[in-house]
Amino acid sequence: MATIEVRGLTKRFGRVVAVEGLSFAVAPGRVTGFLGPNGAGKTTTLRIILGLVKPTAGTALVDGVPYRELPFPKRSVGAVLEATSFYPSRSARDHLRVLCAMAGLASGRADEVLAMVGLTDVARRRAGGFSLGMRQRLELAGALLGDPGVLVLDEPANGLDPQGIAWLRSFLRWYAGLGRAVLISSHLLSEAAQTVDDVVIVAGGRLVASAPVSELTGRFPVSVRIRSPEAQRLVGVLSAAGLRGHYESNDVVVAEGTTTEAVGPLLAANSVVVQEMAAVGGTLEDAFLALTGQYYQLANQPSGQYQPPGQYQPPGQYQPPGQYQPPGQYQPPGQYQPPGQLGSQPGRDGSVPPSGSGTGSVGGMP
Amino acid sequence: MIGLLRAEMLKLRTVKAGWVLVAVAAVIAALVTVLFVVRTADLGASSAIPPLGTRSWARLMLGFSDIGEDFALVLGILCVTGEYRHGTITSTFLAVPKRGKVIGAKLLTSLGAGLVIGAVLAVVVMGAGIPLAVARQVPASSVLRQVPAVVPGAVVATGLYGLYGAGVGALVRNQVLAIASALAFSLVGEGIVSLLAPQVGRWLPDNAAAALTGSTPGASLGRLHLLVWWEGGLVMLAYGVLSAAVGVATTLRADVT
């Protein structure tokens, strides 16, 4: 069972086609990145999923039903859409208490979520005076009120300082670790690469790829850049092993379509002196650029040639909903600390998986 | 729905503009009442205002309780359009995706807010007017005897103006446009229509509300044949509910982007 399922979604605004034939699924227990260039249709898709925008065709289901038919929407889905939706003179706490009353939740939840996002100290201050980062965290608090099984965030890193981003990243990883589904949109690939397990890549309103990050990055060959004083002998060893390569300079050789794990032992066995070795490519960014580039190229050709990659089959390791922790027992991964104090690790309790687990298979950066 | 009503009331309470509107309406009502009582005593029998202490004078004074009608109208408009203006409509529709339900709660809340404004102004008018009248040798009982005929109607009319405002807000999401056009119509447009076509004019909100209060403060209204009080009330209710229904079916169905 997928918690969000989008099938054949199309949305036209007048003559502009924002989304066309988009299908993908978001699995519980994982952070899914919804990636694409600006104007790719990400926000429109998220707003359709949340029942704010009506699709021209297709369906978007949350827990198997359209958002507008959810009996308790705030308990099913928490959403962070934009950082400006507060009544300026209303306090942060009152803003959340209003949401509690609308969602049929006890107003005590407001104080709980304020503590979770580290806004307790400013709870009674007017939200209009909040910084962009504080607004983002207040929005997140509002999304968490109903202790939802699905969290949807549109460009959550916008306006956050580096510490805030690190905090948010560990928070989202922790939340997904509870067995919840987390869907975040982003146009910042390097940021998303450190947070997400799965990616859904869109460009021009169409699906480009939908797969786990590791699978996607694995699809694109990695090169290995080697600096050696005996470059000529190095090329001979590589050729003998059936690897192709080229000179980048007199003492630098790039071996194509291989990994450091394969090249290292090969060079050791042949006693080649190596001064420097690094993997090139194989990041989510490379995959993204390759895929969206491919899309743009194909979009200019007669239609029908582009075959989107096969649908991603989620692994079967979900936690059943029964294992969710009830609200109030959360151990959030480290309260947000103001810049300057936050030199420590973002997630100090054990529930946060080590950072970068989504990109574990990726070699070092060039 | 009860949670939604509580939420709407909390929204109104936590918005500064609501309190400012009530306070300004109360100050204006107090000033008008004081001026009215003091000036009628000064003017004597020659003026168009009925003599101090008469039955129609007492009704005219108590009728100032409906001065809050246009304030209730604005408050009702703010209740709906404020959410669009400040972008809170997104989180509202996320919490309650059934938009008709949201507007239903706003109609009821605006009705309640209007009733509160009406009640506050009734207290202000009586609190300021009656002691001043008594100080001018008018027996308090002669004024109090007219209260049942005027004050409940004025309070209900103010409440219905709040509901009408929420309906207007649902129809016209742009706050400035909604307030400007509703006030212009209420303060100027209705008077002109009433003068030119009294048979149409009596069905308009201001005159329907006047039917409820039973007082006709404007001199030109003397020539207008008002509806029966309950007809006036139903007409006001219909304005609010119908404009809200049209709003839900049209503007509020639009995508929230």
Side-chain angles (χ1 to χ4, degrees):
Chain A
M1 181 201 81
T3 45
I4 294 181
E5 205 176 343
V6 170
R7 267 188 249 135
L9 210 60
T10 296
K11 176 67 181 180
R12 290 191 200 94
F13 294 104
R15 281 186 197 170
V16 179
V17 181
V19 179
E20 194 168 10
L22 187 60
S23 300
F24 65 92
V26 176
R30 298 175 74 85
V31 178
T32 302
F34 189 35
L35 312 177
N38 283 326
K42 301 187 297 290
T43 298
T44 301
T45 303
L46 294 185
R47 286 184 171 259
I48 291 172
I49 292 171
L50 296 167
L52 295 169
V53 168
K54 269 207 180 120
T56 311
T59 52
L61 304 180
V62 180
D63 290 342
V65 295
Y67 188 89
R68 293 194 194 197
E69 285 163 33
L70 287 169
F72 299 102
K74 290 288 277 182
R75 296 184 202 184
S76 299
V77 186
V80 176
L81 286 181
E82 66 228 300
T84 52
S85 53
F86 310 108
Y87 190 84
S89 69
R90 197 177 284 149
S91 74
R93 186 163 172 271
D94 281 338
H95 170 77
L96 294 175
R97 285 173 67 214
V98 164
L99 288 179
C100 283
M102 279 196 288
L105 300 163
S107 57
R109 262 310 268 170
D111 297 317
E112 287 173 30
V113 293
L114 280 169
M116 283 175 77
V117 301
L119 287 179
T120 304
D121 291 345
V122 293
R124 284 166 201 277
R125 267 175 48 188
R126 47 190 292 272
F130 277 16
S131 70
L132 198 51
M134 286 157 86
R135 284 160 181 255
Q136 282 285 50
R137 282 188 282 145
L138 180 53
E139 280 279 297
L140 182 62
L144 294 171
L145 276 177
D147 190 30
V150 179
L151 205 52
V152 175
L153 302 97
D154 195 7
E155 300 278 357
N158 278 1
L160 290 183
D161 52 24
Q163 286 88 352
I165 289 177
W167 173 83
L168 182 71
R169 184 186 305 146
S170 60
F171 180 88
L172 296 178
R173 294 243 42 96
W174 167 79
Y175 203 75
L178 299 175
R180 319 294 176 88
V182 177
L183 177 64
I184 56 170
S185 81
S186 182
H187 66 282
L188 300 172
L189 273 300
S190 47
E191 164 50 33
Q194 300 180 59
T195 314
V196 304
D197 303 307
D198 301 331
V199 286
V200 173
I201 298 181
V202 288
R206 293 167 187 261
L207 184 73
V208 172
S210 172
V213 171
S214 53
E215 187 192 306
L216 202 62
T217 51
R219 260 188 230 164
F220 295 89
V222 180
S223 299
V224 179
R225 191 172 170 277
I226 309 145
R227 195 154 69 89
S228 167
E230 33 186 5
Q232 259 182 329
R233 200 162 75 79
L234 169 63
V235 170
V237 169
L238 291 172
S239 306
L243 291 169
R244 294 196 307 130
H246 65 266
Y247 284 100
E248 195 181 281
S249 64
N250 280 341
D251 59 346
V252 176
V253 174
V254 176
E256 288 158 12
T258 186
T259 60
T260 48
E261 286 85 348
V263 172
L266 179 70
L267 299 186
N270 289 281
S271 303
V272 178
V273 177
V274 171
Q275 291 164 326
E276 197 180 315
M277 184 166 85
V280 180
T283 64
L284 182 59
E285 197 148 10
D286 295 320
F288 176 83
L289 289 174
L291 283 165
T292 52
Q294 181 188 26
Y295 167 80
Y296 286 125
Q297 202 181 359
L298 284 160
N300 295 330
Q301 293 172 3
S303 61
Q305 289 185 18
Y306 175 59
Q307 295 286 324
Q311 284 302 306
Y312 149 63
Q313 295 291 326
Q317 56 190 12
Y318 308 151
Q319 293 178 14
Q323 292 182 16
Y324 287 173
Q325 288 178 16
Q329 295 183 16
Y330 283 158
Q331 304 233 316
Q335 294 292 313
Y336 178 80
Q337 293 172 21
Q341 292 179 26
L342 194 96
S344 59
Q345 68 280 24
R348 49 179 127 81
D349 71 352
S351 66
V352 180
S355 65
S357 68
T359 54
S361 67
V362 176
M365 295 290 287
Chain B
M1 193 67 185
I2 290 165
L4 198 49
L5 280 175
R6 270 186 41 230
E8 286 302 328
M9 285 189 268
L10 187 61
K11 278 183 203 172
L12 262 189
R13 285 213 318 269
T14 52
V15 161
K16 247 193 251 159
W19 296 109
V20 172
L21 279 176
V22 176
V24 171
V27 168
I28 290 177
L31 285 176
V32 168
T33 307
V34 169
L35 207 64
F36 179 76
V37 178
V38 172
R39 285 298 291 160
T40 24
D42 293 349
L43 286 170
S46 63
S47 81
I49 298 172
L52 189 71
T54 59
R55 175 175 170 275
S56 46
W57 178 87
R59 288 199 171 194
L60 211 50
M61 187 200 78
L62 292 171
F64 293 137
S65 303
D66 73 1
I67 278 176
E69 283 173 353
D70 284 326
F71 290 88
L73 174 68
V74 170
L75 200 63
I77 292 173
L78 290 179
C79 180
V80 182
T81 58
E83 295 241 22
Y84 280 93
R85 185 164 170 217
H86 297 289
T88 51
I89 195 69
T90 304
S91 51
T92 296
F93 283 162
L94 284 178
V96 186
K98 299 206 165 59
R99 300 182 183 182
K101 234 174 115 178
V102 172
I103 296 305
K106 286 186 180 294
L107 286 176
L108 287 175
T109 306
S110 302
L111 173 70
L115 289 173
V116 169
I117 293 180
V120 167
L121 292 209
V123 169
V124 167
V125 167
M126 288 189 285
I130 294 175
L132 278 176
V134 170
R136 281 161 181 75
Q137 276 74 48
V138 177
S141 61
S142 74
V143 180
L144 288 173
R145 213 174 297 135
Q146 305 306 325
V147 167
V150 179
V151 171
V155 173
V156 170
T158 310
L160 288 170
Y161 252 98
L163 184 138
Y164 167 52
V168 170
L171 202 56
V172 185
R173 290 190 330 198
N174 183 301
Q175 191 169 73
V176 175
L177 186 64
I179 292 177
S181 44
L183 282 184
F185 184 64
S186 173
L187 298 174
V188 183
E190 286 191 35
I192 294 171
V193 174
S194 302
L195 274 177
L196 298 177
Q199 284 310 306
V200 180
R202 63 205 287 246
W203 296 94
L204 296 179
D206 225 21
N207 294 324
L212 263 176
T213 21
S215 73
T216 53
S220 66
L221 291 177
R223 267 171 268 141
L224 195 74
H225 187 65
L226 291 176
L227 299 169
V228 185
W229 67 268
W230 59 266
E231 287 175 338
L234 284 180
V235 165
M236 280 302 293
L237 190 67
Y239 276 120
V241 172
L242 286 180
S243 50
V246 174
V248 168
T250 56
T251 47
L252 294 176
R253 271 179 63 187
D255 292 340
V256 179
T257 52

